[in-house]
């Protein structure tokens, strides 16, 4: 099924986006879990971690992966279960706006823009 609202041009591309983003999110989660378990986390260590360029890029990648993963999942569920075209469009538009706001907000927080 081709649609203007899905990320990839085909179901295979959406499937790949889901899988790659899941791996990125898993690695990010495992890293943060390991960091929290092996380090006494206070403001200074947390701030020092997020001040490093490589970690900002890793966090940005995780943020974009979360957005892509959420969008493909929401698109798939909405096309499967919301049969009325206008209701589906409104649902997808609302969540696209929320995802966009969260990504922009996350970038502002991460990079101090």
């Amino acid at each position: 099924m081709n649609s203007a609202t899905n990320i990839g041009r085909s179901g295979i591309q959406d499937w790949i986006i889901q899988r790659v983003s899941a791996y990125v999110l898993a690695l990010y989660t495992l890293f943060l879990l390991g960091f929290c378990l092996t380090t006494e986390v206070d403001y200074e260590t947390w701030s020092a971690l997020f001040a490093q360029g490589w970690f900002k890029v890793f966090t940005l990648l995780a943020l974009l992966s979360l957005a892509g993963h959420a969008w493909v999942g929401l698109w798939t569920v909405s096309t499967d279960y919301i049969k009325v075209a206008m209701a589906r469009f409104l649902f997808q538009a609302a969540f696209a706006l929320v995802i966009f706001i969260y990504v922009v907000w996350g970038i502002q927080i991460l990079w101090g823009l």
Side-chain angles (χ1 to χ4, degrees):
M1 166 187 259
N2 285 335
S3 173
T5 57
N6 62 347
I7 293 176
R9 285 177 254 163
S10 69
I12 296 292
Q13 291 172 335
D14 286 343
W15 185 86
I16 291 170
I17 290 168
Q18 281 288 92
R19 296 317 175 266
V20 170
S21 64
Y23 282 120
V24 170
L25 292 170
L27 289 172
Y28 189 76
T29 301
L30 290 173
F31 175 82
L32 282 180
L33 183 63
F35 180 80
C36 289
L37 290 175
T38 60
T39 308
E40 185 175 331
V41 180
D42 56 8
Y43 176 79
E44 290 79 24
T45 57
W46 197 249
S47 181
L49 176 64
F50 277 89
Q52 298 179 42
W54 68 269
F55 192 70
K56 283 185 179 185
V57 171
F58 190 26
T59 302
L60 179 63
L61 185 60
L63 178 65
L64 295 175
S65 293
L66 182 62
H69 194 89
W71 176 252
V72 171
L74 285 168
W75 182 85
T76 302
V77 169
S78 67
T79 55
D80 285 348
Y81 293 105
I82 303 175
K83 298 302 179 191
V84 179
M86 183 54 73
R88 183 174 55 244
F89 172 76
L90 292 173
F91 176 83
Q92 291 173 349
F95 276 97
L97 180 62
V98 169
I99 290 170
F100 176 76
I101 289 169
Y102 281 149
V103 168
V104 170
W105 191 18
I107 291 169
Q108 286 177 339
I109 291 169
L110 187 61
W111 296 97
L113 301 174

